[in-house]
Short mmCIF file of all heavy atoms in Angstrom, two decimals:
data_model
loop_
_atom_site.label_atom_id
_atom_site.label_comp_id
_atom_site.label_asym_id
_atom_site.label_seq_id
_atom_site.Cartn_x
_atom_site.Cartn_y
_atom_site.Cartn_z
N THR A 32 -0.21 7.23 -3.95
CA THR A 32 0.66 8.25 -4.52
C THR A 32 0.50 8.10 -6.02
O THR A 32 0.76 7.02 -6.57
CB THR A 32 2.12 7.98 -4.11
OG1 THR A 32 2.17 7.93 -2.69
CG2 THR A 32 3.04 9.07 -4.62
N HIS A 38 -0.59 -1.28 -8.07
CA HIS A 38 -0.53 -2.72 -8.33
C HIS A 38 -1.61 -3.44 -7.51
O HIS A 38 -2.26 -2.84 -6.66
CB HIS A 38 0.87 -3.29 -8.13
CG HIS A 38 1.43 -3.13 -6.76
ND1 HIS A 38 0.92 -3.77 -5.66
CD2 HIS A 38 2.49 -2.40 -6.30
CE1 HIS A 38 1.62 -3.45 -4.60
NE2 HIS A 38 2.58 -2.60 -4.96
N GLY A 40 -1.44 -5.51 -5.21
CA GLY A 40 -1.18 -5.49 -3.76
C GLY A 40 -1.79 -4.25 -3.12
O GLY A 40 -2.42 -4.33 -2.07
N ASN A 41 -1.63 -3.11 -3.78
CA ASN A 41 -2.27 -1.89 -3.27
C ASN A 41 -3.78 -2.09 -3.20
O ASN A 41 -4.42 -1.66 -2.24
CB ASN A 41 -2.00 -0.69 -4.19
CG ASN A 41 -0.53 -0.35 -4.33
OD1 ASN A 41 -0.03 -0.17 -5.44
ND2 ASN A 41 0.18 -0.29 -3.23
N ARG A 43 -5.30 -4.74 -2.58
CA ARG A 43 -5.69 -5.53 -1.41
C ARG A 43 -6.02 -4.56 -0.27
O ARG A 43 -6.99 -4.75 0.47
CB ARG A 43 -4.59 -6.49 -0.97
CG ARG A 43 -5.10 -7.27 0.22
CD ARG A 43 -4.26 -8.41 0.69
NE ARG A 43 -5.06 -9.22 1.59
CZ ARG A 43 -4.59 -9.95 2.56
NH1 ARG A 43 -3.28 -10.03 2.75
NH2 ARG A 43 -5.38 -10.65 3.34
N ALA A 44 -5.20 -3.52 -0.13
CA ALA A 44 -5.45 -2.54 0.93
C ALA A 44 -6.78 -1.81 0.69
O ALA A 44 -7.57 -1.63 1.62
CB ALA A 44 -4.30 -1.54 1.00
N TYR A 45 -7.04 -1.44 -0.55
CA TYR A 45 -8.27 -0.67 -0.80
C TYR A 45 -9.52 -1.56 -0.70
O TYR A 45 -10.57 -1.08 -0.29
CB TYR A 45 -8.19 0.04 -2.16
CG TYR A 45 -6.97 0.94 -2.24
CD1 TYR A 45 -6.07 0.85 -3.30
CD2 TYR A 45 -6.68 1.83 -1.21
CE1 TYR A 45 -4.93 1.64 -3.34
CE2 TYR A 45 -5.54 2.62 -1.24
CZ TYR A 45 -4.67 2.52 -2.31
OH TYR A 45 -3.55 3.30 -2.32
N GLY A 229 -4.68 1.27 6.68
CA GLY A 229 -3.53 1.24 5.77
C GLY A 229 -2.90 -0.14 5.82
O GLY A 229 -3.29 -0.96 6.66
N GLY A 230 -1.94 -0.38 4.96
CA GLY A 230 -1.24 -1.66 4.98
C GLY A 230 -0.23 -1.70 6.13
O GLY A 230 0.17 -0.65 6.65
N ASP A 232 2.80 -2.19 6.20
CA ASP A 232 4.07 -1.51 5.93
C ASP A 232 4.02 -0.04 6.34
O ASP A 232 5.05 0.61 6.46
CB ASP A 232 4.43 -1.62 4.43
CG ASP A 232 3.30 -1.14 3.53
OD1 ASP A 232 2.15 -1.55 3.78
OD2 ASP A 232 3.56 -0.36 2.61
N LEU A 233 2.82 0.49 6.54
CA LEU A 233 2.71 1.90 6.90
C LEU A 233 2.76 2.14 8.41
O LEU A 233 2.86 3.27 8.86
CB LEU A 233 1.41 2.49 6.34
CG LEU A 233 1.26 2.48 4.81
CD1 LEU A 233 0.02 3.26 4.40
CD2 LEU A 233 2.48 3.08 4.13
N ASN A 260 -4.03 -3.86 7.13
CA ASN A 260 -4.14 -5.10 6.36
C ASN A 260 -2.76 -5.69 6.09
O ASN A 260 -1.78 -4.95 5.93
CB ASN A 260 -4.86 -4.86 5.02
CG ASN A 260 -4.08 -3.95 4.09
OD1 ASN A 260 -4.15 -2.72 4.22
ND2 ASN A 260 -3.32 -4.51 3.18
N GLU A 261 -2.73 -7.02 6.07
CA GLU A 261 -1.47 -7.71 5.73
C GLU A 261 -1.24 -7.63 4.22
O GLU A 261 -2.10 -7.18 3.47
CB GLU A 261 -1.53 -9.18 6.18
CG GLU A 261 -0.66 -9.49 7.39
CD GLU A 261 0.84 -9.20 7.18
OE1 GLU A 261 1.28 -8.98 6.03
OE2 GLU A 261 1.56 -9.19 8.19
N HIS A 262 -0.11 -8.13 3.82
CA HIS A 262 0.30 -7.97 2.42
C HIS A 262 -0.20 -9.04 1.48
O HIS A 262 -0.46 -10.17 1.88
CB HIS A 262 1.83 -7.94 2.35
CG HIS A 262 2.36 -6.64 2.81
ND1 HIS A 262 3.52 -6.52 3.53
CD2 HIS A 262 1.87 -5.38 2.66
CE1 HIS A 262 3.73 -5.24 3.80
NE2 HIS A 262 2.75 -4.54 3.29
N LEU A 263 -0.28 -8.66 0.24
CA LEU A 263 -0.43 -9.61 -0.84
C LEU A 263 0.99 -10.03 -1.23
O LEU A 263 1.87 -9.18 -1.41
CB LEU A 263 -1.12 -8.93 -2.03
CG LEU A 263 -1.42 -9.85 -3.20
CD1 LEU A 263 -2.48 -10.87 -2.82
CD2 LEU A 263 -1.92 -9.03 -4.40
N LYS A 269 6.55 -9.82 -0.42
CA LYS A 269 5.55 -8.77 -0.58
C LYS A 269 5.53 -8.29 -2.03
O LYS A 269 6.59 -8.05 -2.61
CB LYS A 269 5.92 -7.60 0.34
CG LYS A 269 5.01 -6.40 0.20
CD LYS A 269 5.60 -5.16 0.88
CE LYS A 269 4.77 -3.94 0.50
NZ LYS A 269 5.42 -2.67 0.84
N MET A 270 4.34 -8.17 -2.59
CA MET A 270 4.24 -7.61 -3.94
C MET A 270 4.57 -6.12 -3.83
O MET A 270 3.98 -5.40 -3.03
CB MET A 270 2.83 -7.79 -4.51
CG MET A 270 2.70 -7.22 -5.92
SD MET A 270 1.04 -7.38 -6.63
CE MET A 270 0.98 -9.10 -7.07
P1 AMP B 1 1.56 3.15 -1.44
O1 AMP B 1 1.04 3.77 -2.73
O2 AMP B 1 2.84 2.41 -1.60
O3 AMP B 1 1.59 4.15 -0.31
O4 AMP B 1 0.51 2.03 -1.00
C1 AMP B 1 -0.87 2.24 -0.95
C2 AMP B 1 -1.49 1.25 0.00
O5 AMP B 1 -1.25 -0.10 -0.43
C3 AMP B 1 -0.92 1.32 1.42
O6 AMP B 1 -1.98 1.15 2.34
C4 AMP B 1 0.05 0.16 1.47
O7 AMP B 1 0.26 -0.29 2.78
C5 AMP B 1 -0.69 -0.87 0.64
N1 AMP B 1 0.17 -1.92 0.06
C6 AMP B 1 1.32 -1.77 -0.64
N2 AMP B 1 1.80 -2.97 -1.04
C7 AMP B 1 0.92 -3.91 -0.59
C8 AMP B 1 0.84 -5.34 -0.69
N3 AMP B 1 1.74 -6.07 -1.35
N4 AMP B 1 -0.21 -5.96 -0.11
C9 AMP B 1 -1.16 -5.25 0.55
N5 AMP B 1 -1.15 -3.91 0.68
C10 AMP B 1 -0.12 -3.24 0.12
#
Side-chain angles (χ1 to χ4, degrees):
T32 304
H38 60 66
N41 300 131
R43 181 171 194 208
Y45 304 128
D232 53 313
L233 298 188
N260 65 277
E261 252 301 347
H262 284 143
L263 183 68
K269 176 193 170 193
M270 180 181 284

